[in-house]
Amino acid sequence: MTQKTWGGRFSQAPSQIAQEFNASLRFDRRLALVDIEGSLAHAAMLGQQGILSPEEAEQIRQGLLAVRQEILEGRFPWREELEDVHMNLEARLTELVGPVGGKLHTARSRNDQVATDLRLWLRQELDGALEDLKALRRVLLAQAERYLEPPLILPGYTHLQRAMPLLLSHWFMAYYEMLSRDAGRLKDARARLNESPLGAAALAGTGFPIDREATAQALGFARPMRNSLDAVGSRDFVLEALAALTIGQVNLSRLAEEIVLYTTLEFGFATLPDAFSTGSSIMPQKKNADHAELIRAKAGRVLGSFVTLATLSKGLPLAYNKDLQEDKEPLFDAMDTYRASLRLLAAMLPGLVWHPEAMRQAAASGFALATELADYLAERGLPFREAHHVVGRLVRYCLEERKELHQLSLAELQSFHPLFAEDALALTHLESAIHRRRSYGGTAPEAVREAIKTAKAELEGEA
Ligand code: ARG
C-alpha cells in the first residue's frame, strides 16, 4: 500500500500533487518522540479505564516502544505518502503489532494529538532554551566580575554620543538584567502552556469513559485543559513563546550590535578572538564580526516567525483548521535560531580582548565629564539649569581653545563662575566621576559590586 486512504468515504486516491502539498512529515517528524510519549500515556489510560483490555494495552505499549527504538536508531521507515508524523507512527505500529494497533486512536483525534505533541515539544525546548540562557547570563556575570578589579572604564553613550564614563562591568550587567527578564518571559510562557489538550478529541470531547486527569498527570501537565474546543483550536501558547523569543532575540541583537561597533577600528575598544571572526576574500586587513552581525540580523527572522503565526491565527474560526499545521516551521526555526544565538554569544564573549587604554581615552575625552562640573555648581546652590548653561559655555570655550576639561586651570574655571574652587579640578578625572555615581543601580564600583552579588545569588537560586 503506497496510498493513504481515509476508508469508505473515498473512492478516489488523492492526486500526487495534492498529497505532497498537504503533507507535513518533512517538518513534523521532529515531534516523533513526544508523539510516542503522548500515545503511551493515552494507551495506558485506555487500558486502565477498560476501554481496551489489559492485553491490548500492553501489546500497543510494546509496539510503541519498538517504534521508538527504530526512531532512536534512525531506522524508522518514514513514508511521505502517509502525510504526517502521526499517521506514520500509527501505520508502523499496526505493521508491528497487527490490527490491535488501530485501537490506539480510540477516543483520540489528530487534533488533540498534535496539540499535545506541540505543547510537550515546546515545554522541553523552553527548558533547553532556559539552560542556554542561564549559561549566557553566567558568562555575562563572570565578565562583569572579571573587569571590576582593576576597573575597566569605557564611555557610556546616549544618542551614540559620549555621555558619561561607565564601568565595563556595569555595561555587562545591563545585559545580564535584560537577559534575566527574557528568562522570566520564557518561564511565564512555559507555565501557561503546561496544560493537557489530550482527550479533547476532534473538538467536542468523547463518549468513551476516558480519564483526562490521568493522561495529564502522566505527561507532566499541571491539569487537563478545561474546554475541548479551546484545547484543539488554540495556538496562543505558541504565539506567546514566539513573542518571548522575539524579545529575547531583539535584546541579543543589541548586544551583538555593540560588539560590532566596539570592535571596529573607529572605536577600537575590543578585538574579536580569531575563532569568532572572519576575513575578507579580497581585503587582507579585514577582521569581520560576522557572527555578531548574524545575531543582529536574526532578530528580524524570529520576529518574522511571530508575525507568521499571528497572521495565520487572526480571524481563524474554531476549532482545528489545517492552517494550524503551519504553526510548526516558524516555531522550530525561531527556537533553533534563538538557542544557537545564545550558545554563540556564550562562547564568544569570554574571548573578547578589551583595550583599556583606548576605552579610557575615549571616556576621558569628548567632554564626558561636563556633567560633573554642572553637578558641582548645583551642589553649591546654583540652580541646575543655570549650572548646565555655565558648563555649556565652558565646553564651547574648550572647543575653541582645543582643550579638554581636565586641561583647564582654576582661573579659567573661575572666569566662568566664581563658585568653582580648587576641588572642582579633581572632578574632571575619570575615577572621581565613576566613584561619585553610588546611587542604587549606578556605575560606581561599590554599586556594581552589590549588583553582581545580588545577581549571583539570584542566578544560583534559580531552579
Ligand atoms: N498534520 C496536522 C497538523 O500538523 C495534524 C492534525 C491534522 N488534523 C486534521 N484534522 N487534519 O496540524
Side-chain angles (χ1 to χ4, degrees):
M1 187 192 89
T2 56
Q3 291 286 336
K4 175 175 51 121
T5 60
W6 293 108
R9 169 75 178 77
F10 291 84
S11 56
Q12 209 188 16
S15 88
Q16 177 81 10
I17 190 168
Q19 197 170 298
E20 278 170 14
F21 193 80
N22 208 33
S24 53
L25 182 65
R26 186 170 45 80
F27 49 85
D28 67 16
R29 287 162 65 142
R30 229 175 140 166
L31 300 175
L33 291 177
V34 287
D35 192 77
I36 290 177
E37 220 185 296
S39 290
L40 284 168
H42 183 65
M45 180 278 292
L46 292 177
Q48 262 147 28
Q49 296 298 103
I51 302 167
L52 298 185
S53 72
E55 298 72 35
E56 288 171 329
E58 179 55 20
Q59 275 175 289
I60 290 175
R61 193 179 79 88
Q62 291 298 338
L64 286 169
L65 294 178
V67 171
R68 174 154 72 190
Q69 208 48 37
E70 290 185 342
I71 291 166
L72 290 173
E73 289 167 15
R75 54 185 175 83
F76 184 90
W78 295 106
R79 286 157 55 184
E80 183 72 27
E81 70 278 12
L82 291 182
E83 186 180 333
D84 62 19
V85 64
H86 322 291
M87 303 304 285
N88 264 268
L89 298 188
E90 188 183 321
R92 182 66 184 148
L93 173 71
T94 305
E95 261 168 31
L96 293 177
V97 303
V100 67
K103 294 198 173 188
L104 170 63
H105 214 52
T106 312
R108 186 176 77 168
S109 153
R110 278 188 301 160
N111 297 349
D112 59 338
Q113 188 177 355
V114 72
T116 304
D117 291 2
L118 203 56
R119 282 174 193 261
L120 288 174
W121 183 87
L122 184 50
R123 189 178 71 188
Q124 191 172 295
E125 285 289 317
L126 284 172
D127 287 343
L130 279 162
E131 277 306 308
D132 295 338
L133 183 51
K134 196 174 196 177
L136 176 55
R137 289 162 67 212
R138 251 198 210 108
V139 166
L140 290 168
L141 204 50
Q143 302 311 300
E145 246 189 330
R146 174 173 169 194
Y147 296 113
L148 191 59
E149 209 50 66
L152 288 205
I153 297 173
L154 84 166
Y157 296 87
T158 63
H159 314 270
L160 205 54
Q161 311 273 348
R162 281 176 209 167
M164 283 180 193
L166 292 178
L167 290 189
L168 180 62
S169 302
H170 196 53
W171 178 85
F172 272 116
M173 288 307 289
Y175 283 104
Y176 173 86
E177 293 294 331
M178 288 157 75
L179 269 57
S180 298
R181 287 193 297 276
D182 293 338
R185 275 181 280 269
L186 295 176
K187 282 181 198 160
D188 286 351
R190 187 206 191 279
R192 222 177 330 273
L193 71 75
N194 198 30
E195 297 187 326
S196 175
L198 194 58
L203 77 167
T206 172
F208 288 99
I210 59 171
D211 183 349
R212 293 193 59 208
E213 287 284 349
T215 48
Q217 206 187 354
L219 294 170
F221 287 120
R223 65 194 77 84
M225 291 183 74
R226 291 192 296 227
N227 181 292
S228 61
L229 205 52
D230 172 46
V232 293
S234 301
R235 294 293 182 275
D236 52 309
F237 72 99
V238 182
L239 210 47
E240 183 174 3
L242 283 174
L245 292 176
T246 301
I247 297 171
Q249 190 74 32
V250 164
N251 281 341
L252 297 185
S253 81
R254 302 184 69 182
L255 174 55
E257 166 63 4
E258 293 210 69
I259 292 168
V260 172
L261 281 177
Y262 291 172
T263 57
T264 57
L265 207 53
E266 282 71 9
F267 277 81
F269 293 173
T271 305
L272 286 165
D274 284 351
F276 289 90
S277 48
T278 50
S280 155
S281 53
I282 177 165
M283 297 165 283
Q285 84 282 11
K286 293 270 274 190
K287 207 170 167 191
N288 297 328
D290 284 27
H291 312 90
E293 292 174 274
L294 282 171
I295 288 172
R296 186 173 68 179
K298 284 173 193 296
R301 177 173 174 152
V302 178
L303 173 62
S305 291
F306 174 85
V307 172
T308 298
L309 188 64
T311 308
L312 82 79
S313 305
K314 182 201 163 290
L316 201 65
L318 285 174
Y320 180 84
N321 298 274
K322 191 73 168 187
D323 308 53
L324 295 181
Q325 179 166 290
E326 294 276 316
D327 61 357
K328 292 168 203 62
E329 285 166 292
L331 175 61
F332 294 167
D333 187 73
M335 185 59 86
D336 292 345
T337 300
Y338 181 62
R339 293 189 64 182
S341 303
L342 293 174
R343 293 200 207 109
L344 189 284
L345 282 168
M348 176 172 73
L349 288 178
L352 278 176
V353 178
W354 296 91
H355 303 303
E357 260 323 300
M359 289 155 69
R360 211 192 142 79
Q361 222 165 46
S365 57
F367 307 102
L369 299 173
T371 313
E372 304 311 303
L373 294 177
D375 284 352
Y376 178 92
L377 295 176
E379 276 161 18
R380 279 152 190 78
L382 198 64
F384 185 78
R385 272 289 149 247
E386 262 177 68
H388 184 280
H389 196 73
V390 169
V391 178
R393 285 191 291 118
L394 230 163
V395 168
R396 199 170 62 213
Y397 167 81
C398 285
L399 285 169
E400 280 160 11
E401 300 293 312
R402 294 180 185 285
K403 282 184 172 178
E404 290 285 346
L405 288 175
H406 64 86
Q407 293 166 328
L408 294 176
S409 65
L410 180 57
E412 281 173 304
L413 284 183
Q414 282 173 338
S415 75
F416 284 86
H417 205 283
L419 276 175
F420 281 124
E422 191 69 33
D423 55 349
L425 292 172
L427 293 179
T428 56
H429 293 288
L430 276 182
E431 269 73 14
S432 80
I434 297 256
H435 281 273
R436 276 161 43 83
R437 297 209 149 52
R438 266 180 305 234
S439 55
Y440 179 78
T443 199
E446 50 199 285
V448 175
R449 190 169 295 115
E450 208 41 46
I452 291 175
K453 208 173 107 191
T454 309
K456 255 184 156 171
E458 168 194 89
L459 192 61
E460 296 321 319
E462 275 176 21

